[in-house]
Amino acid sequence: MKSKERVHIGAVCIIGVALICILLPLGNLNGIFDYKGERIELKENDIGSGVFIKTNNVVLDNFDSDITISEGGVYNIKGNLNYSIFINANDTVTLNLNGVNISSKITSAIANRGESDLVINLVADSFNNLIDSGYSEYDGCIYSKGKLIIEGTGTLNINGNQKEGEGIATKDNDIIINGGLINISSNDDG
């Protein structure tokens, strides 16, 4: 191979890598795209593969993707999010909602995909708003595969907009409400 050919091939490789570095983040702004620039449709199992939370104090304003909690424990949540919170843990997860506004355009605002219990604690004097939309197998604005417990003394406003969704839903488990002021508006069941 001649040295001019090597330089040409090297330049093409550098330009290609540079384009990938520029275009890859842009694809995340408006969806996910393949190498040809064609939009990739997400399957339900792909949703929620955004950021995995590693801290117990979560300020939602810091995130611009879905959030996944994969370890049991207590999580203090506040702020605004235009995506979803997914839980997929082996142990009980408690979410202390303290001034939370979540608006998901694809699926549930909060979805527990695991078998473990999900406890939603409404912090005293807090106002929390959850809105969902779209259509998915998680058919509630709050959905839990495991047992769902809502407690505390704060306020929770739920607006269920999924096509056949509910305000609060579980797969086949109990929904236990031990406290809080809960207002539900839903396209289907409360």
Side-chain angles (χ1 to χ4, degrees), residues 95-100 120-129 150-158 177-183:
L95 302 180
N96 291 327
L97 302 188
N98 189 5
V100 167
I120 295 178
N121 178 47
L122 306 173
V123 174
D125 301 319
S126 70
F127 292 89
N128 306 282
N129 302 293
I150 299 175
E151 59 189 23
T153 58
T155 299
L156 178 60
N157 298 311
I158 296 172
I177 298 177
N178 289 331
L181 174 61
I182 302 170
N183 303 302

Side-chain angles (χ1 to χ4, degrees), residues 78-97:
K78 65 180 180 178
N80 305 301
L81 182 69
N82 290 322
Y83 296 90
S84 300
I85 295 178
F86 292 97
I87 296 100
N88 196 5
N90 292 327
D91 297 314
T92 299
V93 169
T94 299
L95 302 180
N96 291 327
L97 302 188

Side-chain angles (χ1 to χ4, degrees), residues 47-124:
I47 297 171
S49 58
V51 178
F52 283 81
I53 296 298
K54 298 294 182 187
T55 179
N56 293 87
N57 295 307
V58 181
V59 179
L60 297 176
D61 303 277
N62 296 335
F63 300 94
D64 59 358
S65 68
D66 292 328
I67 294 172
T68 298
I69 296 172
S70 59
E71 295 180 13
V74 178
Y75 295 84
N76 303 309
I77 314 281
K78 65 180 180 178
N80 305 301
L81 182 69
N82 290 322
Y83 296 90
S84 300
I85 295 178
F86 292 97
I87 296 100
N88 196 5
N90 292 327
D91 297 314
T92 299
V93 169
T94 299
L95 302 180
N96 291 327
L97 302 188
N98 189 5
V100 167
N101 296 294
I102 300 174
S103 180
S104 174
K105 294 182 174 78
I106 298 174
T107 185
S108 302
I110 298 174
N112 178 17
R113 296 156 54 159
E115 301 282 345
S116 63
D117 294 351
L118 172 60
V119 178
I120 295 178
N121 178 47
L122 306 173
V123 174

Side-chain angles (χ1 to χ4, degrees), residues 121-163:
N121 178 47
L122 306 173
V123 174
D125 301 319
S126 70
F127 292 89
N128 306 282
N129 302 293
L130 304 179
I131 301 170
D132 70 351
S133 192
Y135 180 82
S136 75
E137 66 181 282
Y138 309 122
D139 59 353
C141 189
I142 298 175
Y143 172 83
S144 185
K145 191 172 181 182
K147 183 167 61 175
L148 174 64
I149 301 165
I150 299 175
E151 59 189 23
T153 58
T155 299
L156 178 60
N157 298 311
I158 296 172
N159 194 341
N161 293 307
Q162 289 191 68
K163 186 175 178 183

